[in-house]
Amino acid sequence: MTNAFGLNLPNSGVRDYFDLARYADSQGVDSLWVSEPQIAADALTPLAAYAAVTDRIRLGTSIIPIWTRNAALIAQSFAALDMLAPDRTILGLGAWWDPLAGQVGIEMRKPIRAMREVIESCRLLWAKVAPVDYTGELVSLRNVFMESPAASHDIPVFIGAVGPQMLRLTGRIADGVILNGNHTVEATAQEIGQLAEGAANEGRSLGDIEIAKMIRIKIGDRERLLAEEKPRVARYVAQQPHIAGPAGIAPDLLARLQDRIKWPATDEEVEAGARLLPDDVVAALGCFGQPDEVRRRMREYTETGVDLFILSRDTPERMRDAIDVLAEGW
């Protein structure tokens, strides 16, 4: 896939983005995505709303957790979306994160096995060949048949994969991957290598897997944009330290960020952490600046093997401007 990009749209204030969704649909943008990383609005309700105001653009979750819905509910929810927007639906799944999972009483036990079992059982339910009996360690179905009006559902499954084991699993079984948006070009290249290892173990190749990359793309004055990004990066790294290495954050800097930013964090704590971040660290985690600067950075990611960029959410006006710039290619 060449010069393909999608938009990660918000799961709240959805009506404010209807015009943007329609514009993206009319301008050949590949896809619209909605995330569900926190306890806020869900992803499926707004995605269905975006589906209703568009005609051709693909629609995916980026991601929903495998733990907060059972496999049958995941399958039936996406079957419903597939009937609303036929052949446009993508199920994006992720393993979620602590401390949030623990705060709602979820023990993320054996996430690699759980991911595989959820995907296998969803695909069996969508096939609608017969009632499904599935006996896994973490997923169990007994004589379950999906009673949707459709004959079957062919829904691509993407995994939001971070660690080496999840990346290799993705290479073995998934239709696509959603790579983290706060990883450097070098980390992205390593991750695609791990994806390729998993694919090869199953007799597949990278050509069998669509490689999507979440990305911060902001067009304008580079210095101002980097300053704008620092609080977000500081909060994310401090509260999800597993991404510190791929984000190029040195251990001593991570320790200082965590010392200042707790969970949950106040605005003052986040601002204090943001002041610790050098410009070059933030610049390495996205594409910021004038159009030519942005395009150059995007080419660096494309050279690692990225097929599809998913632009992180922003205001409707700035995302529309990004569509106009990126429509010219890179």
Side-chain angles (χ1 to χ4, degrees):
M1 192 175 295
T2 303
N3 288 352
F5 67 97
L7 309 178
N8 199 47
L9 297 186
N11 50 11
S12 59
V14 172
R15 290 182 184 275
D16 295 337
Y17 284 79
F18 279 173
D19 286 345
L20 177 66
R22 293 188 186 99
Y23 185 68
D25 197 35
S26 70
Q27 296 301 303
V29 174
D30 174 84
S31 43
L32 301 177
W33 303 78
V34 180
S35 303
E36 194 178 284
Q38 298 170 327
I39 303 300
D42 77 311
L44 284 166
T45 302
L47 202 62
Y50 294 133
V53 299
T54 58
D55 296 316
R56 75 129 212 102
I57 201 165
R58 295 194 295 169
L59 304 145
T61 51
S62 59
I63 50 73
I64 61 167
I66 56 174
W67 309 101
T68 52
R69 302 168 176 85
N70 66 45
L73 178 56
I74 292 173
Q76 76 178 52
S77 297
F78 279 79
L81 190 60
D82 184 47
M83 288 185 286
L84 175 62
D87 302 318
R88 295 201 280 148
T89 298
I90 300 168
L91 167 58
L93 291 170
W96 220 23
W97 54 286
D98 270 323
L100 186 55
Q103 287 179 313
V104 297
I106 291 174
E107 179 188 359
M108 297 189 296
R109 186 168 64 91
K110 298 186 178 180
I112 308 300
R113 179 179 292 275
M115 180 67 73
R116 178 174 58 78
E117 291 184 4
V118 167
I119 292 173
E120 288 175 349
S121 53
C122 282
R123 285 171 169 165
L124 289 170
L125 288 166
W126 289 332
K128 300 182 66 173
V129 174
V132 175
D133 288 303
Y134 184 94
T135 303
E137 184 175 342
L138 300 158
V139 176
S140 178
L141 300 173
R142 295 286 181 272
N143 195 37
V144 180
F145 188 76
M146 176 165 288
E147 299 183 24
S148 67
S152 63
H153 300 276
D154 184 13
I155 299 171
V157 179
F158 286 35
I159 298 176
V162 177
Q165 292 186 67
M166 192 66 81
L167 284 158
R168 293 186 185 105
L169 175 73
T170 303
R172 292 198 300 273
I173 70 170
D175 300 293
V177 66
I178 303 171
L179 298 176
N180 191 286
N182 293 283
H183 292 183
T184 64
V185 170
E186 295 75 17
T188 299
Q190 292 176 359
E191 290 158 358
I192 292 175
Q194 291 159 351
L195 190 70
E197 289 177 26
N201 289 339
E202 199 65 25
R204 308 173 77 202
S205 71
L206 284 179
D208 298 316
I209 305 153
E210 187 171 350
I211 301 173
K213 165 79 176 173
M214 299 289 289
I215 194 78
R216 307 293 291 188
I217 294 180
K218 292 195 172 185
I219 299 163
D221 179 77
R222 187 172 182 272
E223 185 174 340
R224 178 182 61 80
L225 293 173
L226 293 177
E228 184 181 284
E229 282 291 297
K230 285 184 180 182
R232 182 197 64 80
V233 173
R235 183 194 297 268
Y236 190 64
V237 171
Q239 294 180 345
Q240 299 192 50
H242 63 281
I243 67 102
I249 306 292
D252 62 329
L253 177 55
L254 174 62
R256 286 187 288 152
L257 287 169
Q258 290 185 299
D259 183 59
R260 286 161 175 78
I261 301 175
K262 308 303 182 184
W263 172 270
T266 65
D267 291 342
E268 291 77 14
E269 289 171 342
V270 173
E271 288 298 332
R275 288 193 289 272
L276 299 175
L277 287 175
D279 283 357
D280 61 340
V281 168
V282 179
L285 304 180
C287 307
F288 308 107
Q290 298 305 315
D292 286 347
E293 293 178 285
V294 167
R295 292 188 180 102
R296 177 185 58 78
R297 282 285 293 163
M298 291 178 73
R299 288 195 295 272
E300 292 179 15
Y301 280 104
T302 301
E303 288 167 4
T304 69
V306 172
D307 299 312
L308 171 69
F309 291 96
I310 303 174
L311 278 62
S312 297
R313 54 188 158 192
D314 207 331
T315 66
E317 296 77 19
R318 287 167 69 162
M319 295 192 90
R320 187 180 181 114
D321 289 344
I323 290 173
D324 292 341
V325 169
L326 299 184
E328 300 176 13
W330 54 87

